[in-house]
Amino acid sequence: MASFTTFTQRPSINDMRLSIFALDGVFDTGLTALLDTFATANELAALQGFDAAPVEVNLVGVRRRVRTALGFSAMVEPLSAVRQPDWVVVPARHAN
Amino acid sequence: MASFTTFTQRPSINDMRLSIFALDGVFDTGLTALLDTFATANELAALQGFDAAPVEVNLVGVRRRVRTALGFSAMVEPLSAVRQPDWVVVPARHAN
């Protein structure tokens, strides 16, 4: 007989760890759409009563900062400092 | 009789001046999608043989840098330093 997980109570889990691995020259809309999608998912979960963000998102890179194709920059975590992620997504660099 | 502008020769114009006015806390995907759209339009125009970028895009703000909702930052031009723009677009700030 199959086993189902049902959400009759709001779960308080944060066990999906997602690393977004950004390289210099990353295509800006690709990167921001990813980050905003998961940020919005976490915000909606909070509105639904989740105690913890369902997805822990880390922006990681090879240096301390990443610089996008359009010239935006942000601090990133080194890969070595991130707990073993469940998923790593590498958004594409900008191609001319 | 109507007058038409025809493009039998590639125009070398850059007479649409667009200022994108970014405020701190701007919604990242809204800002980057705008910037990438016009950057791509200019790149496609160059591939078609245009001598000048059809749209001159300036990222402007009230300070020297703008910081987005996700924490990215970039240098911006002060509004006062920009030639009279034809269009000013103000992308929305992130709303929680």
Side-chain angles (χ1 to χ4, degrees), chain B residues 7 9-16 38-57 83:
Chain B
F7 290 102
Q9 291 192 308
R10 304 301 185 196
S12 61
I13 51 166
N14 176 344
D15 57 1
M16 188 197 205
F38 287 102
T40 301
N42 283 337
E43 287 165 13
L44 291 174
L47 289 175
Q48 293 292 316
F50 283 52
D51 292 331
V55 186
E56 177 191 312
V57 180
R83 267 201 309 166

Short mmCIF file of all heavy atoms in Angstrom, two decimals, chain B residues 7 9-16 38-57 83:
data_model
loop_
_atom_site.label_atom_id
_atom_site.label_comp_id
_atom_site.label_asym_id
_atom_site.label_seq_id
_atom_site.Cartn_x
_atom_site.Cartn_y
_atom_site.Cartn_z
N PHE B 7 13.20 52.18 -45.07
CA PHE B 7 14.55 51.83 -44.63
C PHE B 7 15.23 50.98 -45.70
O PHE B 7 15.62 49.85 -45.46
CB PHE B 7 14.52 51.10 -43.29
CG PHE B 7 14.13 52.00 -42.16
CD1 PHE B 7 12.85 51.98 -41.63
CD2 PHE B 7 15.06 52.89 -41.63
CE1 PHE B 7 12.50 52.83 -40.58
CE2 PHE B 7 14.71 53.74 -40.59
CZ PHE B 7 13.43 53.72 -40.06
N GLN B 9 17.99 51.84 -46.93
CA GLN B 9 19.36 51.82 -46.42
C GLN B 9 19.29 51.70 -44.92
O GLN B 9 18.35 52.14 -44.28
CB GLN B 9 20.09 53.10 -46.81
CG GLN B 9 20.36 53.21 -48.29
CD GLN B 9 21.32 54.34 -48.59
OE1 GLN B 9 21.13 55.46 -48.16
NE2 GLN B 9 22.38 54.02 -49.33
N ARG B 10 20.36 51.10 -44.35
CA ARG B 10 20.39 50.96 -42.89
C ARG B 10 20.55 52.34 -42.26
O ARG B 10 21.49 53.05 -42.59
CB ARG B 10 21.56 50.08 -42.47
CG ARG B 10 21.58 48.71 -43.11
CD ARG B 10 20.33 47.94 -42.80
NE ARG B 10 20.42 46.58 -43.33
CZ ARG B 10 19.40 45.77 -43.49
NH1 ARG B 10 18.19 46.18 -43.18
NH2 ARG B 10 19.56 44.56 -43.95
N PRO B 11 19.68 52.71 -41.39
CA PRO B 11 19.83 54.02 -40.76
C PRO B 11 20.98 54.00 -39.74
O PRO B 11 21.34 52.95 -39.20
CB PRO B 11 18.50 54.22 -40.05
CG PRO B 11 18.00 52.84 -39.79
CD PRO B 11 18.52 51.99 -40.91
N SER B 12 21.58 55.13 -39.55
CA SER B 12 22.61 55.25 -38.52
C SER B 12 22.16 56.31 -37.52
O SER B 12 22.76 57.36 -37.39
CB SER B 12 23.96 55.62 -39.14
OG SER B 12 23.86 56.87 -39.79
N ILE B 13 21.08 55.97 -36.85
CA ILE B 13 20.50 56.94 -35.92
C ILE B 13 20.60 56.43 -34.51
O ILE B 13 20.68 55.23 -34.26
CB ILE B 13 19.00 57.19 -36.24
CG1 ILE B 13 18.26 55.84 -36.35
CG2 ILE B 13 18.85 57.99 -37.52
CD1 ILE B 13 16.77 55.96 -36.33
N ASN B 14 20.68 57.31 -33.61
CA ASN B 14 20.61 56.99 -32.19
C ASN B 14 19.89 58.15 -31.54
O ASN B 14 20.48 58.95 -30.83
CB ASN B 14 22.03 56.83 -31.62
CG ASN B 14 22.02 56.58 -30.13
OD1 ASN B 14 21.02 56.81 -29.46
ND2 ASN B 14 23.12 56.11 -29.60
N ASP B 15 18.63 58.25 -31.89
CA ASP B 15 17.92 59.44 -31.42
C ASP B 15 16.76 59.10 -30.50
O ASP B 15 15.89 59.92 -30.28
CB ASP B 15 17.48 60.31 -32.58
CG ASP B 15 16.62 59.57 -33.56
OD1 ASP B 15 16.35 58.38 -33.32
OD2 ASP B 15 16.21 60.17 -34.54
N MET B 16 16.73 57.87 -29.99
CA MET B 16 15.78 57.58 -28.92
C MET B 16 16.57 57.43 -27.64
O MET B 16 17.39 56.53 -27.51
CB MET B 16 15.00 56.30 -29.19
CG MET B 16 13.89 56.13 -28.18
SD MET B 16 13.27 54.43 -28.14
CE MET B 16 11.64 54.69 -27.53
N PHE B 38 16.32 46.03 -24.11
CA PHE B 38 16.87 47.08 -24.98
C PHE B 38 18.30 46.77 -25.40
O PHE B 38 18.71 47.09 -26.52
CB PHE B 38 16.75 48.44 -24.29
CG PHE B 38 15.33 48.93 -24.26
CD1 PHE B 38 14.56 48.84 -23.11
CD2 PHE B 38 14.75 49.44 -25.41
CE1 PHE B 38 13.25 49.26 -23.10
CE2 PHE B 38 13.43 49.87 -25.41
CZ PHE B 38 12.68 49.77 -24.25
N ALA B 39 19.08 46.12 -24.52
CA ALA B 39 20.43 45.72 -24.92
C ALA B 39 20.37 44.73 -26.07
O ALA B 39 21.14 44.81 -27.04
CB ALA B 39 21.17 45.11 -23.71
N THR B 40 19.43 43.79 -26.00
CA THR B 40 19.29 42.80 -27.07
C THR B 40 18.82 43.47 -28.36
O THR B 40 19.30 43.14 -29.46
CB THR B 40 18.31 41.70 -26.64
OG1 THR B 40 18.81 41.08 -25.46
CG2 THR B 40 18.16 40.63 -27.72
N ALA B 41 17.90 44.42 -28.25
CA ALA B 41 17.44 45.15 -29.45
C ALA B 41 18.62 45.83 -30.13
O ALA B 41 18.76 45.79 -31.36
CB ALA B 41 16.37 46.17 -29.06
N ASN B 42 19.48 46.46 -29.34
CA ASN B 42 20.64 47.15 -29.92
C ASN B 42 21.62 46.15 -30.54
O ASN B 42 22.21 46.42 -31.58
CB ASN B 42 21.34 47.99 -28.85
CG ASN B 42 20.60 49.29 -28.57
OD1 ASN B 42 19.83 49.78 -29.39
ND2 ASN B 42 20.83 49.85 -27.39
N GLU B 43 21.79 45.00 -29.89
CA GLU B 43 22.69 43.99 -30.45
C GLU B 43 22.14 43.44 -31.77
O GLU B 43 22.89 43.24 -32.73
CB GLU B 43 22.88 42.83 -29.45
CG GLU B 43 23.77 43.22 -28.26
CD GLU B 43 23.67 42.24 -27.09
OE1 GLU B 43 23.10 41.14 -27.27
OE2 GLU B 43 24.14 42.58 -26.00
N LEU B 44 20.84 43.21 -31.83
CA LEU B 44 20.24 42.73 -33.08
C LEU B 44 20.36 43.78 -34.18
O LEU B 44 20.61 43.45 -35.35
CB LEU B 44 18.77 42.35 -32.85
CG LEU B 44 18.54 41.12 -31.98
CD1 LEU B 44 17.04 40.94 -31.70
CD2 LEU B 44 19.10 39.86 -32.64
N ALA B 45 20.21 45.05 -33.81
CA ALA B 45 20.36 46.12 -34.80
C ALA B 45 21.78 46.14 -35.36
O ALA B 45 21.98 46.32 -36.57
CB ALA B 45 20.01 47.47 -34.17
N ALA B 46 22.75 45.94 -34.48
CA ALA B 46 24.15 45.92 -34.95
C ALA B 46 24.37 44.77 -35.92
O ALA B 46 25.04 44.92 -36.95
CB ALA B 46 25.09 45.81 -33.75
N LEU B 47 23.75 43.62 -35.62
CA LEU B 47 23.88 42.48 -36.54
C LEU B 47 23.24 42.76 -37.89
O LEU B 47 23.63 42.19 -38.91
CB LEU B 47 23.23 41.23 -35.92
CG LEU B 47 23.97 40.60 -34.73
CD1 LEU B 47 23.15 39.46 -34.14
CD2 LEU B 47 25.35 40.10 -35.16
N GLN B 48 22.24 43.64 -37.90
CA GLN B 48 21.55 44.00 -39.14
C GLN B 48 22.28 45.10 -39.90
O GLN B 48 21.80 45.58 -40.92
CB GLN B 48 20.12 44.46 -38.84
CG GLN B 48 19.21 43.37 -38.29
CD GLN B 48 18.89 42.31 -39.32
OE1 GLN B 48 18.60 42.63 -40.46
NE2 GLN B 48 18.97 41.04 -38.95
N GLY B 49 23.37 45.59 -39.35
CA GLY B 49 24.15 46.58 -40.06
C GLY B 49 23.93 48.02 -39.64
O GLY B 49 24.45 48.93 -40.27
N PHE B 50 23.15 48.23 -38.57
CA PHE B 50 22.97 49.59 -38.08
C PHE B 50 24.32 50.11 -37.58
O PHE B 50 25.04 49.41 -36.88
CB PHE B 50 21.97 49.62 -36.91
CG PHE B 50 20.53 49.51 -37.33
CD1 PHE B 50 20.10 48.49 -38.17
CD2 PHE B 50 19.60 50.42 -36.87
CE1 PHE B 50 18.76 48.38 -38.54
CE2 PHE B 50 18.26 50.32 -37.23
CZ PHE B 50 17.84 49.30 -38.06
N ASP B 51 24.62 51.35 -37.92
CA ASP B 51 25.88 51.93 -37.48
C ASP B 51 25.84 52.38 -36.03
O ASP B 51 26.86 52.44 -35.36
CB ASP B 51 26.27 53.12 -38.36
CG ASP B 51 26.60 52.67 -39.77
OD1 ASP B 51 27.07 51.53 -39.93
OD2 ASP B 51 26.39 53.46 -40.70
N ALA B 52 24.67 52.77 -35.57
CA ALA B 52 24.54 53.25 -34.19
C ALA B 52 23.43 52.47 -33.50
O ALA B 52 22.51 51.97 -34.14
CB ALA B 52 24.22 54.73 -34.17
N ALA B 53 23.55 52.34 -32.19
CA ALA B 53 22.51 51.67 -31.43
C ALA B 53 21.23 52.49 -31.53
O ALA B 53 21.25 53.71 -31.29
CB ALA B 53 22.93 51.54 -29.97
N PRO B 54 20.11 51.89 -31.92
CA PRO B 54 18.87 52.66 -32.06
C PRO B 54 18.39 53.30 -30.77
O PRO B 54 17.77 54.36 -30.79
CB PRO B 54 17.86 51.62 -32.56
CG PRO B 54 18.68 50.55 -33.18
CD PRO B 54 19.95 50.50 -32.38
N VAL B 55 18.68 52.66 -29.64
CA VAL B 55 18.21 53.20 -28.37
C VAL B 55 19.40 53.44 -27.46
O VAL B 55 20.21 52.54 -27.20
CB VAL B 55 17.23 52.23 -27.67
CG1 VAL B 55 16.64 52.87 -26.42
CG2 VAL B 55 16.12 51.79 -28.62
N GLU B 56 19.51 54.69 -27.01
CA GLU B 56 20.56 55.01 -26.03
C GLU B 56 19.94 54.86 -24.65
O GLU B 56 18.99 55.56 -24.31
CB GLU B 56 21.02 56.46 -26.26
CG GLU B 56 22.06 56.95 -25.27
CD GLU B 56 22.28 58.46 -25.40
OE1 GLU B 56 22.45 58.94 -26.53
OE2 GLU B 56 22.24 59.14 -24.35
N VAL B 57 20.44 53.90 -23.89
CA VAL B 57 19.83 53.58 -22.59
C VAL B 57 20.75 54.07 -21.47
O VAL B 57 21.95 53.78 -21.46
CB VAL B 57 19.62 52.06 -22.43
CG1 VAL B 57 18.99 51.74 -21.08
CG2 VAL B 57 18.76 51.52 -23.57
N ARG B 83 21.40 63.76 -20.85
CA ARG B 83 20.75 64.62 -21.83
C ARG B 83 19.25 64.40 -21.77
O ARG B 83 18.78 63.30 -21.50
CB ARG B 83 21.22 64.24 -23.25
CG ARG B 83 22.39 65.04 -23.74
CD ARG B 83 22.46 64.99 -25.27
NE ARG B 83 22.38 63.63 -25.82
CZ ARG B 83 22.16 63.39 -27.11
NH1 ARG B 83 21.99 64.39 -27.96
NH2 ARG B 83 22.13 62.15 -27.56
#
